[in-house]
Amino acid sequence: MSFFRCGAQVLLVFDPAATATPPAPDARLPVPPHGSDGPGHFCMAVKSSEIGAWRDHLESSGVKIEADFIWPQGGRSIYFRDPAGNSIEIADPKIWDQP
């Protein structure tokens, strides 16, 4: 498992095999099974002025950027993959008509 603090939010990344089994009836923390199989996608919104810095940081860490573009309605997105093959997007909230 990995936990990332993203501003006021936290992104939890679980090993799907470790979270697929239901908890024992007497489990102290009876968290139900969750997760997914195969690649997924998630997006983190950041200020438009921060997207370039994110791209620079990712590339300097050896992460390949798959796409970097401006949406027709405005706002920029960059896409890359995590080690499990999930598509990660960092986007300007303008893509959802948010300031």
Side-chain angles (χ1 to χ4, degrees):
M1 293 182 273
S2 296
F3 304 94
F4 302 96
R5 182 161 302 283
C6 305
Q9 303 295 319
V10 175
L11 171 65
L12 308 174
V13 180
F14 295 96
D15 174 353
T19 60
T21 305
D26 61 345
R28 185 177 64 84
L29 299 171
V31 176
H34 55 285
S36 63
D37 292 323
H41 170 265
F42 73 89
C43 179
M44 296 182 291
V46 301
K47 294 177 184 175
S48 61
S49 61
E50 297 175 353
I51 293 177
W54 272 104
R55 181 181 178 128
D56 292 345
H57 172 72
L58 290 163
E59 288 182 320
S60 70
S61 299
V63 176
K64 179 183 181 248
I65 302 300
E66 291 187 324
D68 182 342
F69 61 91
I70 305 296
W71 289 88
Q73 70 274 26
R76 178 181 175 191
S77 287
I78 61 173
Y79 290 82
F80 57 97
R81 299 275 167 179
D82 72 9
N86 296 297
S87 175
I88 312 302
E89 177 183 3
I90 295 178
D92 180 335
K94 290 178 189 172
I95 70 172
W96 305 290
D97 292 325
Q98 299 294 312

Coordinates of all heavy atoms in Angstrom, one line a residue:
M1 N 0.8 -1.2 0.0 CA 0.0 0.0 0.0 C 0.9 1.2 0.0 O 2.0 1.2 0.6 CB -0.9 0.0 1.2 CG -1.9 -1.1 1.2 SD -3.0 -1.0 2.7 CE -2.0 -1.9 3.8
S2 N 0.4 2.3 -0.6 CA 1.0 3.6 -0.6 C 0.0 4.6 -0.3 O -1.1 4.5 -0.8 CB 1.7 3.9 -2.0 OG 2.7 3.0 -2.2
F3 N 0.4 5.6 0.4 CA -0.5 6.7 0.8 C 0.2 8.0 0.4 O 1.4 8.2 0.7 CB -0.8 6.7 2.3 CG -1.4 5.4 2.7 CD1 -0.6 4.4 3.3 CD2 -2.8 5.2 2.6 CE1 -1.2 3.2 3.7 CE2 -3.3 4.0 3.1 CZ -2.5 3.0 3.6
F4 N -0.5 8.9 -0.4 CA 0.1 10.1 -0.8 C -0.8 11.3 -0.3 O -2.0 11.3 -0.6 CB 0.2 10.2 -2.3 CG 1.0 9.1 -2.9 CD1 0.4 7.9 -3.4 CD2 2.4 9.2 -3.0 CE1 1.1 6.9 -4.0 CE2 3.1 8.1 -3.6 CZ 2.5 7.0 -4.0
R5 N -0.2 12.2 0.3 CA -0.9 13.5 0.7 C -0.8 14.4 -0.5 O 0.2 14.7 -1.0 CB -0.3 14.1 1.9 CG -1.0 15.4 2.3 CD -0.8 15.8 3.8 NE -1.0 14.8 4.8 CZ -2.3 14.5 5.2 NH1 -3.3 15.1 4.7 NH2 -2.4 13.5 6.1
C6 N -2.0 14.8 -0.9 CA -2.1 15.7 -2.1 C -2.9 16.9 -1.6 O -4.1 17.0 -1.7 CB -2.9 15.0 -3.2 SG -2.2 13.4 -3.7
G7 N -2.2 17.9 -1.1 CA -2.8 19.1 -0.5 C -3.6 18.6 0.7 O -3.1 18.0 1.6
A8 N -4.9 19.0 0.7 CA -5.8 18.6 1.8 C -6.4 17.2 1.6 O -7.2 16.7 2.4 CB -6.9 19.6 1.9
Q9 N -6.0 16.5 0.5 CA -6.6 15.2 0.2 C -5.5 14.1 0.4 O -4.3 14.4 0.5 CB -7.1 15.1 -1.2 CG -8.1 16.2 -1.5 CD -9.4 16.0 -0.8 OE1 -9.9 14.9 -0.6 NE2 -10.0 17.1 -0.3
V10 N -5.9 12.9 0.5 CA -5.0 11.7 0.5 C -5.4 10.7 -0.6 O -6.6 10.4 -0.7 CB -5.0 11.1 1.9 CG1 -4.2 9.8 1.9 CG2 -4.6 12.0 3.0
L11 N -4.4 10.3 -1.3 CA -4.7 9.2 -2.3 C -4.1 7.9 -1.7 O -3.0 7.8 -1.3 CB -3.9 9.6 -3.6 CG -3.9 8.5 -4.7 CD1 -5.3 8.2 -5.2 CD2 -2.9 8.9 -5.8
L12 N -5.0 6.9 -1.7 CA -4.6 5.6 -1.1 C -4.5 4.7 -2.3 O -5.4 4.5 -3.1 CB -5.7 5.1 -0.2 CG -6.2 6.0 0.9 CD1 -7.3 5.4 1.7 CD2 -5.0 6.3 1.9
V13 N -3.4 4.0 -2.4 CA -3.1 3.0 -3.5 C -2.9 1.7 -2.8 O -2.0 1.5 -2.1 CB -1.9 3.4 -4.3 CG1 -1.7 2.4 -5.5 CG2 -2.1 4.8 -4.9
F14 N -3.8 0.7 -3.1 CA -3.8 -0.6 -2.5 C -3.3 -1.6 -3.5 O -3.6 -1.5 -4.7 CB -5.2 -1.0 -2.0 CG -5.7 -0.1 -0.9 CD1 -6.5 1.0 -1.1 CD2 -5.3 -0.3 0.4 CE1 -7.0 1.8 -0.1 CE2 -5.8 0.4 1.5 CZ -6.6 1.5 1.2
D15 N -2.7 -2.7 -3.0 CA -2.5 -3.9 -3.7 C -3.8 -4.6 -3.8 O -4.3 -5.0 -2.8 CB -1.4 -4.7 -3.0 CG -1.2 -6.1 -3.7 OD1 -1.9 -6.5 -4.6 OD2 -0.3 -6.8 -3.2
P16 N -4.4 -4.8 -5.1 CA -5.7 -5.3 -5.2 C -5.8 -6.8 -4.6 O -6.8 -7.1 -4.0 CB -6.0 -5.4 -6.6 CG -4.9 -4.8 -7.3 CD -3.8 -4.4 -6.3
A17 N -4.7 -7.5 -4.7 CA -4.7 -8.9 -4.1 C -4.9 -8.8 -2.6 O -5.5 -9.7 -2.0 CB -3.5 -9.7 -4.5
A18 N -4.3 -7.8 -2.0 CA -4.3 -7.7 -0.5 C -5.7 -7.2 0.0 O -6.0 -7.4 1.2 CB -3.2 -6.8 0.0
T19 N -6.5 -6.6 -0.9 CA -7.7 -6.1 -0.4 C -8.9 -6.8 -1.0 O -10.1 -6.4 -0.8 CB -7.8 -4.6 -0.8 OG1 -7.8 -4.4 -2.2 CG2 -6.8 -3.8 -0.1
A20 N -8.7 -7.9 -1.6 CA -9.8 -8.7 -2.3 C -10.5 -9.6 -1.3 O -11.7 -10.0 -1.5 CB -9.3 -9.5 -3.5
T21 N -9.9 -10.0 -0.2 CA -10.4 -11.0 0.7 C -11.3 -10.3 1.7 O -10.8 -9.3 2.4 CB -9.3 -11.7 1.4 OG1 -8.5 -12.3 0.4 CG2 -9.8 -12.8 2.3
P22 N -12.5 -10.7 2.0 CA -13.3 -10.1 3.0 C -12.7 -10.3 4.4 O -11.9 -11.3 4.6 CB -14.6 -10.9 2.9 CG -14.6 -11.5 1.6 CD -13.2 -11.8 1.2
P23 N -12.9 -9.4 5.3 CA -12.4 -9.5 6.6 C -13.0 -10.6 7.4 O -14.1 -11.1 7.1 CB -12.7 -8.1 7.3 CG -14.0 -7.7 6.6 CD -13.8 -8.2 5.2
A24 N -12.2 -11.1 8.4 CA -12.7 -12.2 9.3 C -13.9 -11.6 10.1 O -14.0 -10.4 10.3 CB -11.6 -12.6 10.2
P25 N -14.8 -12.4 10.5 CA -16.0 -11.9 11.2 C -15.6 -11.2 12.5 O -16.3 -10.3 12.9 CB -16.8 -13.2 11.6 CG -16.4 -14.2 10.6 CD -14.9 -13.9 10.2
D26 N -14.5 -11.5 13.1 CA -14.1 -10.8 14.3 C -13.0 -9.8 14.1 O -12.3 -9.4 15.0 CB -13.6 -11.8 15.4 CG -12.4 -12.6 14.9 OD1 -12.1 -12.6 13.6 OD2 -11.7 -13.3 15.7
A27 N -12.8 -9.3 12.8 CA -11.8 -8.3 12.5 C -12.0 -7.1 13.3 O -13.1 -6.6 13.5 CB -11.8 -8.1 11.0
R28 N -10.8 -6.5 13.8 CA -10.9 -5.2 14.5 C -11.3 -4.1 13.6 O -12.1 -3.2 14.0 CB -9.5 -4.9 15.1 CG -9.4 -3.7 15.9 CD -8.1 -3.5 16.6 NE -7.0 -3.2 15.6 CZ -6.7 -2.0 15.1 NH1 -7.4 -1.0 15.4 NH2 -5.8 -1.9 14.2
L29 N -10.9 -4.1 12.3 CA -11.3 -3.2 11.3 C -11.9 -3.9 10.1 O -11.3 -4.4 9.2 CB -10.1 -2.4 10.8 CG -9.3 -1.6 11.9 CD1 -8.0 -1.0 11.3 CD2 -10.2 -0.4 12.4
P30 N -13.3 -4.0 10.2 CA -14.0 -4.8 9.2 C -14.2 -4.1 7.8 O -15.3 -3.9 7.3 CB -15.3 -5.1 9.8 CG -15.5 -3.9 10.7 CD -14.2 -3.5 11.2
V31 N -13.0 -3.7 7.2 CA -13.1 -3.0 5.9 C -13.5 -4.0 4.8 O -12.9 -5.0 4.7 CB -11.7 -2.3 5.6 CG1 -11.8 -1.7 4.2 CG2 -11.3 -1.3 6.7
P32 N -14.5 -3.7 4.1 CA -15.0 -4.6 3.0 C -14.0 -4.7 1.9 O -13.1 -3.8 1.7 CB -16.3 -4.0 2.5 CG -16.3 -2.6 2.9 CD -15.4 -2.5 4.1
P33 N -14.0 -5.7 1.1 CA -13.1 -5.9 0.0 C -13.3 -4.7 -1.0 O -14.4 -4.1 -1.2 CB -13.5 -7.1 -0.7 CG -14.3 -7.9 0.3 CD -14.9 -6.9 1.2
H34 N -12.2 -4.3 -1.6 CA -12.2 -3.2 -2.6 C -11.0 -3.3 -3.5 O -10.1 -4.0 -3.2 CB -12.3 -1.8 -1.9 CG -11.3 -1.5 -0.9 ND1 -11.3 -2.1 0.3 CD2 -10.2 -0.7 -1.0 CE1 -10.2 -1.6 1.0 NE2 -9.5 -0.8 0.2
G35 N -11.0 -2.5 -4.5 CA -9.9 -2.5 -5.4 C -10.4 -2.9 -6.8 O -11.6 -3.0 -7.0
S36 N -9.5 -3.0 -7.8 CA -9.9 -3.4 -9.1 C -8.8 -4.2 -9.7 O -7.7 -4.3 -9.2 CB -10.1 -2.1 -9.9 OG -8.9 -1.4 -10.0
D37 N -9.2 -4.9 -10.8 CA -8.2 -5.7 -11.6 C -8.0 -5.0 -12.9 O -8.9 -4.5 -13.5 CB -8.8 -7.1 -11.8 CG -8.9 -7.9 -10.6 OD1 -8.0 -7.8 -9.7 OD2 -9.8 -8.7 -10.4
G38 N -6.7 -5.0 -13.3 CA -6.4 -4.3 -14.6 C -6.2 -2.8 -14.4 O -6.5 -2.3 -13.3
P39 N -5.7 -2.2 -15.4 CA -5.4 -0.7 -15.3 C -6.7 0.1 -15.1 O -7.7 -0.2 -15.7 CB -4.8 -0.4 -16.7 CG -4.3 -1.7 -17.2 CD -5.3 -2.8 -16.7
G40 N -6.5 1.1 -14.4 CA -7.6 2.1 -14.1 C -7.1 3.5 -14.5 O -6.1 3.7 -15.1
H41 N -7.9 4.4 -14.0 CA -7.5 5.8 -14.3 C -8.0 6.7 -13.1 O -9.0 6.4 -12.5 CB -8.3 6.3 -15.5 CG -8.2 7.8 -15.7 ND1 -9.1 8.7 -15.3 CD2 -7.2 8.6 -16.3 CE1 -8.8 9.9 -15.6 NE2 -7.6 9.9 -16.3
F42 N -7.2 7.7 -12.7 CA -7.6 8.7 -11.8 C -7.0 10.0 -12.2 O -6.0 10.0 -12.9 CB -7.4 8.3 -10.3 CG -6.0 8.4 -9.9 CD1 -5.4 9.6 -9.4 CD2 -5.2 7.2 -9.9 CE1 -4.1 9.6 -8.9 CE2 -3.9 7.3 -9.4 CZ -3.3 8.5 -9.0
C43 N -7.6 11.1 -11.8 CA -7.1 12.4 -12.1 C -7.0 13.2 -10.9 O -7.8 13.1 -10.0 CB -8.2 13.0 -13.1 SG -7.7 14.7 -13.6
M44 N -5.9 14.0 -10.8 CA -5.8 15.0 -9.7 C -5.8 16.4 -10.3 O -5.2 16.7 -11.4 CB -4.4 14.8 -9.1 CG -4.2 13.5 -8.4 SD -2.6 13.3 -7.6 CE -1.5 13.2 -9.0
A45 N -6.6 17.3 -9.8 CA -6.7 18.6 -10.2 C -5.7 19.5 -9.5 O -5.4 19.3 -8.3 CB -8.1 19.2 -9.9
V46 N -5.0 20.3 -10.3 CA -4.0 21.2 -9.8 C -4.2 22.6 -10.5 O -4.8 22.6 -11.6 CB -2.5 20.7 -10.0 CG1 -2.3 19.4 -9.3 CG2 -2.1 20.6 -11.4
K47 N -3.6 23.6 -9.9 CA -3.7 24.9 -10.5 C -3.0 24.8 -11.9 O -1.9 24.2 -12.0 CB -3.0 26.0 -9.7 CG -3.7 26.2 -8.4 CD -2.9 27.2 -7.5 CE -3.6 27.4 -6.2 NZ -2.8 28.3 -5.3
S48 N -3.5 25.5 -12.9 CA -2.9 25.5 -14.2 C -1.4 25.9 -14.2 O -0.6 25.4 -14.9 CB -3.7 26.4 -15.2 OG -3.7 27.7 -14.7
S49 N -1.1 26.8 -13.3 CA 0.3 27.3 -13.2 C 1.2 26.3 -12.6 O 2.5 26.4 -12.7 CB 0.3 28.6 -12.3 OG -0.1 28.3 -11.0
E50 N 0.7 25.2 -12.1 CA 1.6 24.1 -11.5 C 1.8 22.9 -12.4 O 2.6 22.1 -12.1 CB 0.9 23.6 -10.2 CG 0.8 24.7 -9.1 CD 0.1 24.2 -7.9 OE1 -0.5 23.1 -7.9 OE2 0.1 25.0 -6.9
I51 N 1.1 22.8 -13.5 CA 1.2 21.6 -14.4 C 2.5 21.5 -15.0 O 3.1 20.4 -15.0 CB 0.0 21.6 -15.4 CG1 -1.3 21.5 -14.7 CG2 0.3 20.5 -16.5 CD1 -2.5 21.5 -15.7
G52 N 3.1 22.6 -15.4 CA 4.5 22.5 -16.0 C 5.5 22.0 -15.0 O 6.4 21.2 -15.3
A53 N 5.4 22.4 -13.7 CA 6.3 22.0 -12.7 C 6.1 20.5 -12.4 O 7.1 19.7 -12.2 CB 6.1 22.8 -11.4
W54 N 4.8 20.0 -12.4 CA 4.6 18.6 -12.3 C 5.2 17.8 -13.4 O 5.8 16.8 -13.2 CB 3.1 18.3 -12.3 CG 2.5 18.4 -10.9 CD1 1.7 19.4 -10.4 CD2 2.6 17.4 -9.8 NE1 1.4 19.1 -9.1 CE2 1.9 17.9 -8.7 CE3 3.3 16.2 -9.7 CZ2 1.8 17.2 -7.5 CZ3 3.2 15.5 -8.5 CH2 2.5 16.0 -7.5
R55 N 5.1 18.3 -14.6 CA 5.7 17.6 -15.8 C 7.2 17.5 -15.6 O 7.8 16.5 -15.8 CB 5.3 18.3 -17.1 CG 5.9 17.5 -18.3 CD 5.6 18.1 -19.6 NE 6.3 17.3 -20.6 CZ 5.8 16.8 -21.7 NH1 4.5 17.0 -21.9 NH2 6.5 16.1 -22.5
D56 N 7.8 18.6 -15.3 CA 9.3 18.7 -15.1 C 9.7 17.7 -14.0 O 10.7 16.9 -14.2 CB 9.7 20.1 -14.7 CG 9.6 21.1 -15.8 OD1 9.4 20.6 -17.0 OD2 9.7 22.3 -15.5
H57 N 9.0 17.6 -12.9 CA 9.3 16.7 -11.8 C 9.2 15.3 -12.2 O 10.0 14.4 -11.9 CB 8.4 17.0 -10.6 CG 8.5 16.0 -9.5 ND1 9.6 15.9 -8.7 CD2 7.6 15.0 -9.1 CE1 9.4 14.9 -7.8 NE2 8.2 14.3 -8.1
L58 N 8.1 15.0 -12.9 CA 7.9 13.6 -13.3 C 9.0 13.1 -14.3 O 9.5 12.1 -14.2 CB 6.5 13.4 -14.0 CG 5.3 13.5 -13.0 CD1 4.0 13.8 -13.7 CD2 5.2 12.3 -12.1
E59 N 9.2 14.0 -15.3 CA 10.3 13.6 -16.3 C 11.6 13.5 -15.6 O 12.4 12.6 -16.0 CB 10.3 14.6 -17.4 CG 9.1 14.5 -18.3 CD 9.1 15.5 -19.5 OE1 9.5 16.7 -19.3 OE2 8.7 15.1 -20.6
S60 N 12.0 14.4 -14.7 CA 13.3 14.3 -14.0 C 13.4 13.0 -13.2 O 14.5 12.6 -12.8 CB 13.6 15.5 -13.2 OG 12.7 15.6 -12.1
S61 N 12.2 12.5 -12.8 CA 12.2 11.2 -12.0 C 12.1 10.0 -12.9 O 11.9 8.9 -12.4 CB 11.0 11.2 -11.1 OG 11.1 12.3 -10.2
G62 N 12.2 10.2 -14.3 CA 12.2 9.1 -15.2 C 10.8 8.6 -15.6 O 10.6 7.5 -16.2
V63 N 9.8 9.4 -15.3 CA 8.4 9.0 -15.7 C 8.1 9.6 -17.1 O 8.3 10.8 -17.4 CB 7.4 9.6 -14.7 CG1 5.9 9.3 -15.2 CG2 7.6 9.1 -13.3
K64 N 7.6 8.7 -18.0 CA 7.3 9.1 -19.4 C 5.9 9.8 -19.4 O 5.0 9.2 -18.9 CB 7.3 7.9 -20.3 CG 7.0 8.2 -21.7 CD 6.9 6.9 -22.6 CE 6.6 7.3 -24.0 NZ 5.3 6.8 -24.4
I65 N 5.9 10.9 -20.0 CA 4.6 11.6 -20.2 C 4.0 11.1 -21.5 O 4.6 11.1 -22.6 CB 4.8 13.1 -20.3 CG1 5.5 13.7 -19.0 CG2 3.5 13.8 -20.5 CD1 4.7 13.4 -17.7
E66 N 2.8 10.5 -21.4 CA 2.1 9.9 -22.6 C 1.4 11.0 -23.4 O 1.3 10.8 -24.6 CB 1.1 8.9 -22.1 CG 1.7 7.6 -21.6 CD 0.7 6.6 -21.3 OE1 -0.5 6.9 -20.9 OE2 1.0 5.4 -21.5
A67 N 0.8 12.0 -22.8 CA 0.1 13.0 -23.5 C 0.1 14.3 -22.7 O 0.2 14.3 -21.4 CB -1.4 12.6 -23.7
D68 N 0.1 15.4 -23.4 CA 0.1 16.8 -22.8 C -0.6 17.7 -23.8 O -0.1 17.9 -24.9 CB 1.6 17.3 -22.6 CG 1.7 18.6 -21.9 OD1 0.7 19.4 -21.9 OD2 2.8 18.9 -21.4
F69 N -1.8 18.1 -23.4 CA -2.6 18.9 -24.4 C -3.5 19.8 -23.7 O -3.8 19.7 -22.5 CB -3.3 18.0 -25.4 CG -4.3 17.1 -24.7 CD1 -5.6 17.4 -24.5 CD2 -3.9 15.8 -24.3 CE1 -6.6 16.6 -23.9 CE2 -4.8 14.9 -23.7 CZ -6.2 15.3 -23.5
I70 N -4.0 20.8 -24.5 CA -5.0 21.7 -24.0 C -6.4 21.2 -24.5 O -6.6 20.9 -25.7 CB -4.8 23.1 -24.6 CG1 -3.3 23.6 -24.2 CG2 -5.8 24.1 -24.2 CD1 -3.1 23.8 -22.8
W71 N -7.4 21.2 -23.6 CA -8.7 20.8 -24.0 C -9.4 21.9 -24.8 O -9.1 23.0 -24.6 CB -9.5 20.5 -22.7 CG -9.1 19.2 -22.1 CD1 -8.1 19.1 -21.1 CD2 -9.6 17.9 -22.3 NE1 -8.0 17.8 -20.7 CE2 -8.9 17.0 -21.4 CE3 -10.6 17.4 -23.1 CZ2 -9.1 15.7 -21.4 CZ3 -10.9 16.0 -23.0 CH2 -10.1 15.2 -22.2
P72 N -10.4 21.5 -25.7 CA -11.1 22.5 -26.5 C -11.8 23.6 -25.6 O -11.8 24.8 -26.0 CB -12.1 21.7 -27.3 CG -11.5 20.3 -27.4 CD -10.8 20.2 -26.1
Q73 N -12.3 23.2 -24.5 CA -13.0 24.2 -23.6 C -12.0 24.9 -22.7 O -12.4 25.7 -21.9 CB -14.1 23.5 -22.7 CG -13.5 22.5 -21.7 CD -13.2 21.1 -22.1 OE1 -12.9 20.9 -23.3 NE2 -13.2 20.2 -21.2
G74 N -10.7 24.6 -22.9 CA -9.7 25.3 -22.0 C -9.3 24.3 -20.9 O -10.0 23.4 -20.6
G75 N -8.1 24.5 -20.5 CA -7.5 23.7 -19.4 C -6.6 22.6 -20.0 O -6.8 22.1 -21.1
R76 N -5.5 22.4 -19.3 CA -4.5 21.4 -19.8 C -4.5 20.2 -18.9 O -4.8 20.2 -17.7 CB -3.1 22.2 -19.6 CG -1.9 21.3 -20.0 CD -0.7 22.2 -19.7 NE 0.6 21.4 -20.0 CZ 1.8 21.9 -19.6 NH1 1.9 23.1 -19.0 NH2 2.8 21.1 -19.8
S77 N -4.2 19.0 -19.6 CA -4.0 17.8 -18.9 C -2.7 17.1 -19.3 O -2.3 17.2 -20.5 CB -5.1 16.8 -19.3 OG -6.3 17.1 -18.7
I78 N -2.0 16.5 -18.4 CA -0.9 15.6 -18.7 C -1.2 14.2 -18.2 O -1.9 14.0 -17.2 CB 0.5 16.1 -18.1 CG1 0.4 16.2 -16.6 CG2 0.9 17.4 -18.7 CD1 1.8 16.5 -16.0
Y79 N -0.8 13.2 -18.9 CA -1.1 11.8 -18.6 C 0.2 11.0 -18.5 O 1.1 11.2 -19.3 CB -1.9 11.1 -19.7 CG -3.3 11.6 -19.8 CD1 -3.6 12.8 -20.5 CD2 -4.4 10.9 -19.2 CE1 -5.0 13.3 -20.6 CE2 -5.7 11.4 -19.3 CZ -6.0 12.5 -20.0 OH -7.3 13.0 -20.1
F80 N 0.3 10.1 -17.6 CA 1.4 9.2 -17.4 C 0.9 7.9 -16.8 O -0.3 7.8 -16.4 CB 2.5 9.8 -16.6 CG 2.1 10.3 -15.3 CD1 2.3 9.5 -14.1 CD2 1.5 11.5 -15.1 CE1 2.0 10.0 -12.9 CE2 1.1 12.0 -13.8 CZ 1.4 11.2 -12.7
R81 N 1.7 6.9 -16.6 CA 1.4 5.6 -16.0 C 2.1 5.4 -14.7 O 3.3 5.8 -14.6 CB 1.7 4.4 -16.9 CG 1.1 4.5 -18.3 CD -0.3 3.8 -18.2 NE -1.0 4.2 -19.5 CZ -2.2 3.7 -19.7 NH1 -2.8 3.0 -18.8 NH2 -2.9 4.1 -20.8
D82 N 1.4 4.8 -13.8 CA 2.0 4.4 -12.5 C 2.6 3.0 -12.7 O 2.4 2.4 -13.8 CB 1.1 4.5 -11.3 CG 0.0 3.4 -11.3 OD1 0.1 2.4 -12.1 OD2 -0.9 3.5 -10.4
P83 N 3.4 2.5 -11.8 CA 4.1 1.2 -12.0 C 3.1 0.0 -12.2 O 3.5 -1.0 -12.9 CB 4.9 1.0 -10.7 CG 5.2 2.3 -10.2 CD 3.9 3.1 -10.6
A84 N 1.8 0.2 -11.8 CA 0.9 -0.9 -12.0 C 0.1 -0.8 -13.4 O -0.7 -1.6 -13.7 CB -0.2 -0.9 -10.9
G85 N 0.5 0.3 -14.2 CA -0.1 0.5 -15.5 C -1.4 1.4 -15.5 O -2.0 1.5 -16.5
N86 N -1.7 1.9 -14.3 CA -2.9 2.8 -14.3 C -2.5 4.1 -15.0 O -1.4 4.6 -14.9 CB -3.3 3.1 -12.8 CG -3.7 1.9 -12.1 OD1 -4.7 1.3 -12.5 ND2 -3.0 1.5 -11.1
S87 N -3.5 4.7 -15.6 CA -3.4 6.0 -16.3 C -3.6 7.1 -15.3 O -4.7 7.1 -14.6 CB -4.4 6.1 -17.4 OG -4.4 7.4 -18.0
I88 N -2.7 7.9 -15.1 CA -2.8 9.0 -14.1 C -2.8 10.3 -14.9 O -2.1 10.6 -15.8 CB -1.6 9.1 -13.2 CG1 -1.2 7.7 -12.6 CG2 -1.8 10.1 -12.1 CD1 -2.3 7.1 -11.8
E89 N -3.8 11.2 -14.5 CA -3.9 12.5 -15.2 C -3.8 13.6 -14.2 O -4.3 13.5 -13.1 CB -5.3 12.5 -15.8 CG -5.7 13.8 -16.5 CD -7.1 13.9 -17.0 OE1 -7.9 12.9 -16.8 OE2 -7.5 14.9 -17.6
I90 N -3.0 14.6 -14.5 CA -3.0 15.8 -13.7 C -3.6 16.9 -14.6 O -3.2 17.1 -15.8 CB -1.5 16.2 -13.4 CG1 -1.0 15.1 -12.4 CG2 -1.5 17.6 -12.7 CD1 0.5 15.3 -12.0
A91 N -4.6 17.6 -14.1 CA -5.4 18.4 -14.9 C -5.8 19.8 -14.3 O -5.9 19.8 -13.1 CB -6.7 17.7 -15.3
D92 N -5.9 20.7 -15.1 CA -6.4 22.0 -14.7 C -7.9 21.9 -14.5 O -8.6 21.3 -15.4 CB -6.1 23.0 -15.9 CG -6.6 24.4 -15.6 OD1 -7.5 24.7 -14.8 OD2 -6.0 25.3 -16.3
P93 N -8.5 22.4 -13.4 CA -9.9 22.3 -13.2 C -10.8 22.9 -14.2 O -12.0 22.6 -14.3 CB -10.1 22.9 -11.8 CG -8.8 22.9 -11.2 CD -7.8 23.0 -12.3
K94 N -10.2 23.7 -15.1 CA -11.0 24.3 -16.2 C -11.6 23.3 -17.1 O -12.6 23.5 -17.8 CB -10.1 25.3 -17.0 CG -9.7 26.5 -16.3 CD -8.8 27.4 -17.2 CE -8.3 28.5 -16.5 NZ -7.2 29.2 -17.3
I95 N -11.0 22.1 -17.1 CA -11.6 21.0 -18.0 C -13.0 20.6 -17.6 O -13.7 20.0 -18.3 CB -10.7 19.8 -18.2 CG1 -10.6 19.0 -16.9 CG2 -9.3 20.2 -18.6 CD1 -9.8 17.7 -17.1
W96 N -13.3 20.9 -16.3 CA -14.7 20.6 -15.8 C -15.5 21.9 -15.6 O -16.4 21.9 -14.8 CB -14.6 19.9 -14.5 CG -13.8 18.6 -14.6 CD1 -14.1 17.5 -15.2 CD2 -12.5 18.4 -14.0 NE1 -13.2 16.5 -15.1 CE2 -12.1 17.1 -14.3 CE3 -11.7 19.1 -13.2 CZ2 -10.9 16.5 -13.9 CZ3 -10.5 18.6 -12.8 CH2 -10.1 17.3 -13.1
D97 N -15.0 23.0 -16.2 CA -15.7 24.3 -16.0 C -15.6 24.8 -14.6 O -16.5 25.4 -14.1 CB -17.1 24.3 -16.5 CG -17.2 24.1 -18.0 OD1 -16.3 24.6 -18.7 OD2 -18.2 23.5 -18.4
Q98 N -14.5 24.4 -13.9 CA -14.3 24.9 -12.5 C -13.2 25.9 -12.5 O -12.2 25.8 -13.3 CB -13.8 23.7 -11.6 CG -14.9 22.6 -11.5 CD -16.1 23.0 -10.8 OE1 -16.1 23.7 -9.8 NE2 -17.3 22.7 -11.4
P99 N -13.3 27.0 -11.7 CA -12.2 28.0 -11.7 C -10.9 27.5 -11.1 O -10.8 26.5 -10.5 CB -12.8 29.1 -10.7 CG -13.9 28.5 -10.0 CD -14.3 27.2 -10.8

